[in-house]
């Protein structure tokens, strides 16, 4: 080849150094070119491969997709793609893993293009194989990261229960569901009484521990998968339960208060009790009410405010 | 535009349905489920007409796969699916649990292959039935707005460009998807295509 002289390298060197598998097959499917990359990853040397029929060489291991692509190129001159997404591993090629492990089957992306002879008559097929193992691995990693991010985005970092973002999204869905199925929906706003004096007295670390205990205790009161319990703000929690009567909702709110009192967390600076207590505001929407469902948040918040102004450590129902 | 007579339109529709059948077979083989693909209608428009006729009423983006082919006539073949449809198809084909947002990297390659399968099947059906030989480029994939596509067709050469618009019906795992296969041809290439259709008809009639 004349370029050897001017460029200082041969086409053959390029073919054998390139980080791609290169095969050329003729119209009779005989192998005309087989580069070093192919020898390395298939375990079949150039001497073994050349002039062999590619179908025979791989002993029936070629997939229908690979054969269809080859036929498209040889018979119709149409280039073909085999994506790693849809085929994974059409050829028996392997990549070395960690030492001592057996080589793993390589994920591949394959491109087949027709090559016309200078006279235009004879058609051969150039097959390029690239190793997509890395992108497959990267894709898997991205998916698992994105799952983790999605979980993180809806979780409260301190207490591990849902955060306000999750609640706001679920609230809209729950309202829609209740309207459609004409079922009751109860909203509970829960606030820890005198939490600022508690923090001042016991310190923020103890404050954080207590927030976790309260979150766990509230969470433990949930009975159904559709129930939602989230941290709404600093020392404020919110719960959403469907299908409770107004009376059941009040009982549930009382139970919430009792569950926190049962923790018997000492609170030396609380005017209401010697242990930690909560105030709860609750409102239940029933389908026979003429009122709109949406002021539920405001209603429960108003009720909570009243519970606080009435002396805390109690349940107030928005009437 | 009455470039073709009714019987010629029928013949050309038949050719593309043969191609669609081949593509469906290939797709079924890949995903291991029955795939139905058909070309219920076909029309010829001037390239300026493509905007009102094919691209209106869709504010979303299109996923397009195109291949340029040459032989007795030259054309650019473009397969169009709305972006959301395209993602659904790819997800069905990959049978994966991944959410649509996570598909980004594989989506492009898999869509290119889907387009390649449908375009190659159409070209091979033409090659067989008209007894001609065609060469084509590798598929290229892009996401385009309706305006991008219209601009591409109108800018691409002179006023006397024509588009052959095929309506495509794809049924895959209970999802029914519609798309378009569009061939952009010069008037010279279009007359050659007409001549091949007439030749084909005179052979079989």
């Amino acid at each position: 080849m004349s370029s050897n002289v001017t460029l200082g390298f041969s086409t053959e060197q390029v073919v054998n150094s390139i980080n791609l598998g290169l095969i050329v097959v003729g119209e009779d499917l005989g192998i005309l070119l087989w580069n070093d990359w192919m020898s390395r990853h298939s375990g079949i040397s150039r001497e073994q491969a050349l002039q062999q029929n590619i179908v025979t060489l791989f002993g029936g291991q070629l997939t229908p997709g690979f054969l269809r692509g080859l036929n498209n190129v040889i018979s119709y001159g149409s280039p073909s793609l085999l994506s790693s997404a849809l085929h994974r591993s059409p050829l028996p090629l392997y990549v070395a893993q960690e030492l001592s492990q057996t080589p793993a089957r390589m994920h591949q992306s394959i491109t087949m293009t027709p090559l016309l002879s200078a006279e235009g008559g004879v058609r051969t097929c150039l097959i390029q194989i690239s190793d997509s193992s890395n992108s497959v691995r990267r894709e898997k990693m991205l998916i698992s990261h994105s799952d983790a991010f999605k979980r993180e985005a809806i979780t409260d970092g301190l207490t591990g229960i849902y955060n306000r973002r999750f609640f706001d999204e679920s609230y809209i869905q729950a309202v829609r569901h209740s309207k459609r199925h004409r079922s009751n929906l109860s909203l509970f706003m829960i606030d820890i009484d005198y939490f600022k004096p508690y923090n001042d007295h016991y310190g923020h670390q103890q404050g954080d521990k207590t927030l976790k205990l309260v979150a766990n205790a509230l969470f433990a009161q949930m009975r159904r998968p559709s129930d939602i319990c989230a941290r709404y703000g600093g020392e404020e929690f919110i719960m959403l339960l469907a299908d409770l009567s107004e009376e059941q909702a009040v009982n549930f709110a009382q139970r919430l208060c009792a569950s926190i009192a049962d923790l018997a967390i000492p609170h030396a600076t609380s005017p209401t009790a010697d242990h930690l207590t909560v105030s709860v505001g609750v409102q239940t929407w029933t389908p026979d009410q003429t009122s709109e469902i949406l002021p539920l948040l405001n209603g429960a918040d108003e009720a909570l405010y009243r519970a606080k102004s009435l002396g805390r450590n109690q349940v107030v129902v928005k009437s | 535009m009455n470039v073709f007579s009714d019987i010629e339109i029928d013949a050309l529709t038949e050719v593309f349905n043969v191609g669609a059948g081949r593509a469906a077979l290939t797709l079924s083989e890949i995903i291991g489920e029955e795939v139905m693909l058909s070309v219920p209608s076909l029309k010829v428009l001037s390239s300026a007409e493509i905007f009102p006729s094919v691209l209106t009423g869709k504010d979303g983006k299109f996923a397009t796969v195109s291949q340029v082919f040459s032989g007795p006539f030259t054309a650019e073949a473009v397969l169009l699916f709305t972006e959301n449809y395209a993602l659904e198809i790819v997800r069905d084909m990959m049978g994966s649990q991944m959410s649509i947002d996570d598909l980004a990297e594989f989506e492009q390659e898999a869509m290119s292959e889907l387009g390649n399968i449908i375009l190659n099947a159409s070209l091979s059906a033409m090659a067989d039935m008209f007894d001609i030989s065609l060469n084509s480029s590798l598929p290229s994939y892009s996401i385009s707005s309706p305006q991008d596509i219209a601009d591409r067709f109108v800018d691409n050469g002179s006023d006397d460009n024509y588009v052959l618009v095929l309506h495509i019906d794809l049924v895959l795992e209970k999802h029914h998807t519609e798309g378009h296969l569009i061939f952009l041809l010069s008037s010279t290439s279009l007359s050659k295509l007409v001549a091949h259709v007439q030749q084909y008809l005179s052979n079989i009639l």
Side-chain angles (χ1 to χ4, degrees):
Chain A
M1 190 171 276
S2 60
S3 64
N4 288 4
V5 183
T6 48
L7 296 172
F9 60 86
S10 67
T11 312
E12 197 180 341
Q13 285 176 302
V14 174
V15 164
N16 285 318
S17 307
I18 199 166
N19 191 23
L20 276 179
L22 295 180
I23 308 172
V24 175
V25 298
E27 276 177 301
D28 58 356
L29 301 183
I31 294 172
L32 305 171
L33 182 139
W34 185 266
N35 75 346
D36 283 357
W37 188 98
M38 282 305 301
S39 306
R40 217 161 43 239
H41 293 289
S42 66
I44 300 168
S45 70
R46 184 174 300 117
E47 291 69 33
Q48 289 170 292
L50 287 182
Q51 302 306 326
Q52 285 276 339
N53 179 299
I54 189 167
V55 181
T56 324
L57 182 71
F58 284 112
Q61 290 192 70
L62 295 178
T63 60
F66 187 90
L67 294 170
R68 183 244 319 151
L70 210 51
N71 181 49
N72 257 321
V73 176
I74 302 273
S75 309
Y76 297 104
S78 305
S80 294
L81 288 188
L82 301 183
S83 63
S84 64
L86 301 179
H87 299 270
R88 295 290 174 197
S89 186
L91 292 175
L93 301 177
Y94 299 87
V95 273
Q97 287 183 305
E98 315 265 309
L99 290 172
S100 83
Q101 280 185 326
T102 49
R105 184 111 175 184
M106 180 196 291
H107 292 281
Q108 305 147 26
S109 295
I110 298 182
T111 306
M112 304 185 197
T113 38
L115 303 175
L116 291 178
S117 68
E119 301 77 45
V122 186
R123 228 179 226 153
T124 53
C125 173
L126 170 67
I127 306 169
Q128 302 173 58
I129 301 127
S130 66
D131 177 359
S132 55
S133 304
N134 283 335
S135 26
V136 171
R137 208 164 24 240
R138 192 165 61 237
E139 190 88 357
K140 280 187 183 149
M141 203 174 70
L142 285 174
I143 291 164
S144 84
H145 282 187
S146 113
D147 286 349
F149 286 139
K150 269 182 216 151
R151 257 196 319 279
E152 265 173 41
I154 57 170
T155 306
D156 175 54
L158 177 69
T159 61
I161 61 174
Y162 287 127
N163 61 14
R164 181 169 183 160
R165 177 210 295 254
F166 179 82
F167 175 82
D168 288 343
E169 284 166 14
S170 318
Y171 177 64
I172 296 167
Q173 286 171 17
V175 165
R176 238 182 254 143
H177 183 272
S178 282
K179 275 185 169 171
R180 198 174 329 122
H181 294 89
R182 305 199 54 75
S183 56
N184 290 7
L185 187 64
S186 306
L187 186 73
F188 304 83
M189 293 265 220
I190 304 117
D191 193 76
I192 302 179
D193 296 329
Y194 302 107
F195 191 66
K196 191 180 177 305
Y198 182 89
N199 260 341
D200 293 344
H201 185 75
Y202 294 97
H204 280 279
Q205 277 194 332
Q206 181 58 38
D208 285 353
K209 275 189 200 163
T210 298
L211 281 172
K212 284 188 221 175
L213 287 171
V214 170
N216 284 338
L218 296 176
F219 186 83
Q221 294 301 318
M222 300 201 304
R223 289 289 170 267
R224 281 176 300 186
S226 60
D227 295 353
I228 291 165
C229 175
R231 185 171 175 206
Y232 202 58
E235 68 267 26
E236 202 174 355
F237 298 87
I238 194 160
M239 295 177 82
L240 193 61
L241 279 77
D243 299 327
L244 298 182
S245 69
E246 286 184 55
E247 192 189 344
Q248 286 171 320
V250 175
N251 290 340
F252 182 78
Q254 304 283 13
R255 216 157 55 233
L256 293 178
C257 283
S259 72
I260 302 306
D262 288 348
L263 293 175
I265 301 169
H267 190 340
T269 52
S270 165
T272 47
D274 56 359
H275 57 270
L276 194 85
T277 57
V278 292
S279 302
V280 181
V282 48
Q283 185 175 21
T284 297
W285 181 84
T286 49
D288 46 309
Q289 276 176 357
T290 47
S291 72
E292 266 299 301
I293 194 167
L294 278 169
L296 207 50
L297 266 171
N298 293 338
D301 200 38
E302 260 173 53
L304 173 62
Y305 185 78
R306 287 226 353 256
K308 285 198 221 171
S309 57
L310 289 172
R312 295 178 168 83
N313 191 20
Q314 58 186 285
V315 173
V316 168
V317 184
K318 164 76 179 171
S319 47
Chain B
M1 189 128 333
N2 292 319
V3 180
F4 292 101
S5 66
D6 285 351
I7 187 167
E8 288 163 0
I9 288 280
D10 285 351
L12 203 52
T13 311
E14 184 193 329
V15 169
F16 284 111
N17 273 302
V18 169
R22 290 181 185 181
L25 209 62
T26 304
L27 294 172
S28 305
E29 171 194 294
I30 291 175
I31 66 173
E33 295 226 10
E34 191 181 12
V35 174
M36 284 179 288
L37 189 65
S38 61
V39 178
S41 72
L42 178 157
K43 59 191 166 190
V44 179
L45 305 169
S46 76
S47 59
E49 289 172 300
I50 182 117
F51 198 91
S53 132
V54 181
L55 302 171
T56 40
K58 289 159 188 152
D59 34 352
K61 296 215 159 189
F62 287 98
T64 70
V65 181
S66 58
Q67 286 181 215
V68 175
F69 65 92
S70 57
F73 45 89
T74 301
E76 182 181 3
V78 185
L79 184 69
L80 288 180
F81 285 109
T82 65
E83 192 180 6
N84 288 341
Y85 276 162
L87 290 168
E88 275 177 20
I89 300 169
V90 172
R91 187 158 65 162
D92 279 354
M93 288 179 73
M94 291 171 64
S96 90
Q97 301 301 308
M98 285 186 235
S99 78
I100 276 180
D101 297 338
D102 296 326
L103 276 171
E105 187 164 343
F106 282 150
E107 161 211 326
Q108 180 167 342
E109 212 192 6
M111 252 331 267
S112 299
E113 180 174 357
L114 173 72
N116 183 236
I117 288 167
I118 295 176
L119 295 173
N120 278 354
S122 307
L123 298 184
S124 75
M126 274 201 280
D128 287 343
M129 297 174 83
F130 298 155
D131 195 22
I132 53 176
S133 169
L134 297 162
N135 289 306
S136 83
S137 68
L138 275 168
S140 70
Y141 171 83
S142 72
I143 295 281
S144 321
S145 71
Q147 191 62 51
D148 294 339
I149 296 167
D151 291 349
R152 186 158 129 207
F153 282 124
V154 176
D155 291 351
N156 223 329
S158 52
D159 297 338
D160 63 348
N161 275 345
Y162 290 93
V163 282
L164 184 63
V165 180
L166 285 67
H167 192 91
I168 290 182
D169 255 4
L170 176 63
V171 181
L172 211 140
E173 280 198 8
K174 297 164 214 123
H175 273 119
H176 178 199
T177 307
E178 291 173 22
H180 286 97
L181 176 54
I182 295 171
F183 289 88
L184 178 68
L185 320 105
S186 67
S187 57
T188 322
S189 283
L190 184 64
S191 340
K192 286 181 183 158
L193 176 61
V194 173
H196 278 288
V197 176
Q198 286 165 348
Q199 167 96 48
Y200 170 70
L201 279 170
S202 70
N203 286 345
I204 58 168
L205 289 181

